[in-house]
Amino acid sequence: MIRALSGEFSVTMCTLDLEDCDKVLRVECLQMEEHQVISFVRDLGYQCAVLD
């Protein structure tokens, strides 16, 4: 997933915490909106939502 995100967006930092019960994905990028990442990840077949 990280490789796919990096290929689609100009990602400056991306991590996936598999030890967290929510499997938290953190993405930093200067030129993308949250909804773009959510749509992209969902298109890959995963659930995705913004955590508060």
Side-chain angles (χ1 to χ4, degrees), residues 1-44:
M1 179 182 323
I2 292 174
R3 187 174 296 162
L5 281 165
S6 296
E8 183 72 17
F9 303 101
S10 297
V11 175
T12 57
M13 193 275 306
C14 186
T15 61
L16 180 58
D17 185 351
L18 296 175
E19 293 183 18
D20 187 283
C21 65
D22 291 322
K23 310 298 188 241
V24 177
L25 173 68
R26 291 177 183 85
V27 180
E28 288 183 16
C29 183
L30 298 176
Q31 297 183 350
M32 72 176 172
E33 301 290 326
E34 289 174 349
H35 71 275
Q36 292 174 293
V37 174
I38 291 169
S39 293
F40 186 78
V41 171
R42 286 181 177 168
D43 287 346
L44 292 174

